[in-house]
Amino acid sequence: MNGVVKSVGSLCRSLGRLVEDVGYGLQGRLAYKETLHKSQTLSKYKDSLYPTVKDEVFVAPNASVIGDVTIGKGSSVWYGCVIRGDVNSVTIGEMSNIQDNVMVHVAKHNAAGIPRKTVIGSGVTVGHGATIHAATVEDGSVVGMGAVIMDGAVVEKAAIVAAGSLVVPGTVVKSREVWAGSPAACVRKVSDDEAAAIEQAAVDYSNLGAVHAAENCKTFGEIELDRARRWDRQTRDPDYDLQQGVEREIETRELVPTGYVQTQ
């Protein structure tokens, strides 16, 4: 039954894109071609490899998750990310966050002639603009903003790769060490406070992903209602209703009929 519903849903989405193409053709040279479709955030590769996304995962509408990619429960993939599992597989564990503009790819072949997949564990934070290529990042680790992790490198549990660092191919970043530089090298141990902060960051980003997922799933009517509320609060003096002796419904801001009792 689920397979039938999914097939019907895919057909409806394809029909929507067909209608869009017809409208584009009718507008001619005046048309703006929208090439990004929310329904294409998760894309198959060669008609057989399709991403697997577990429950409570947020994938931003302009991210691209392609091919043989598995994302665990509670994880998040943020705006502008590309996770490409075309020539090998990408696995992301639970409660991990792959932040804005991160690039994750794999290797079919390299200088060593070894195909390599990418494995990102659970509770991992990958900072904005980082690149992970055919490498392994174990549970509870941090890859800082703009850092690059190259083929065959391993970032062990609870380690930190500092922002802007380059971890060269085959390097092993030891557990609970901080590595920085280009090429990266160990600079010190991870403190207990830092380890606790890493764990909390995973929880915070999972919760934040749920908020963004809810916002991105709003209907047109809900968006218009939000806009009306903002306009109401920007233009109406806080004392206006009090002076007029009226009450308003908390959510919609509509006038409350006489004798109506509001509940929080």
Side-chain angles (χ1 to χ4, degrees), residues 21-259:
D21 290 340
V22 171
Y24 175 78
L26 292 174
Q27 288 182 322
R29 63 182 182 85
L30 299 177
Y32 169 73
K33 180 64 172 178
E34 176 60 74
T35 58
L36 176 65
H37 294 283
K38 186 174 180 179
S39 60
Q40 292 177 335
T41 297
L42 306 178
S43 301
K44 61 185 176 182
Y45 177 71
K46 287 189 173 179
D47 294 326
S48 59
L49 300 176
Y50 194 84
T52 300
V53 177
K54 304 297 184 180
D55 295 336
E56 301 173 20
V57 170
F58 167 62
V59 179
N62 67 337
S64 295
V65 180
I66 304 162
D68 189 3
V69 179
T70 301
I71 303 175
K73 182 177 179 179
S75 291
S76 53
V77 178
W78 292 83
Y79 304 94
C81 285
V82 177
I83 301 177
R84 184 151 57 93
D86 46 6
V87 296
N88 216 317
S89 66
V90 176
T91 302
I92 300 171
E94 298 182 354
M95 301 287 288
S96 291
N97 57 92
I98 314 301
Q99 297 177 14
D100 313 73
N101 297 319
V102 168
M103 173 66 194
V104 179
H105 193 221
V106 292
K108 183 177 182 179
H109 51 76
N110 49 33
I114 302 173
R116 295 189 186 276
K117 58 187 178 180
T118 291
V119 178
I120 299 173
S122 297
V124 173
T125 292
V126 182
H128 315 287
T131 299
I132 300 176
H133 194 274
T136 297
V137 181
E138 295 184 354
D139 298 350
S141 297
V142 172
V143 177
M145 293 181 286
V148 178
I149 315 295
M150 293 297 294
D151 298 44
V154 177
V155 179
E156 294 185 345
K157 291 182 179 180
I160 297 176
V161 176
S165 299
L166 171 63
V167 179
V168 298
T171 301
V172 177
V173 178
K174 293 296 184 178
S175 178
R176 300 241 358 190
E177 290 185 351
V178 179
W179 284 50
S182 181
C186 179
V187 295
R188 60 178 176 83
K189 295 291 186 179
V190 175
S191 69
D192 291 340
D193 288 344
E194 287 172 328
I198 292 170
E199 292 181 8
Q200 187 59 46
V203 175
D204 291 344
Y205 253 96
S206 183
N207 293 336
L208 185 60
V211 174
H212 279 256
E215 287 294 319
N216 279 281
C217 288
K218 283 186 174 180
T219 64
F220 177 76
E222 289 171 328
I223 293 171
E224 287 298 299
L225 182 56
D226 283 346
R227 181 179 299 174
R229 289 171 186 158
R230 289 194 297 271
W231 179 88
D232 180 81
R233 293 185 174 100
Q234 290 170 359
T235 58
R236 192 185 306 280
D237 188 288
D239 293 329
Y240 177 82
D241 290 341
L242 180 62
Q243 294 170 356
Q244 297 299 314
V246 299
E247 293 185 48
R248 293 184 182 273
E249 206 279 326
I250 296 170
E251 288 296 320
T252 66
R253 307 296 295 158
E254 295 292 332
L255 287 174
V256 176
T258 302

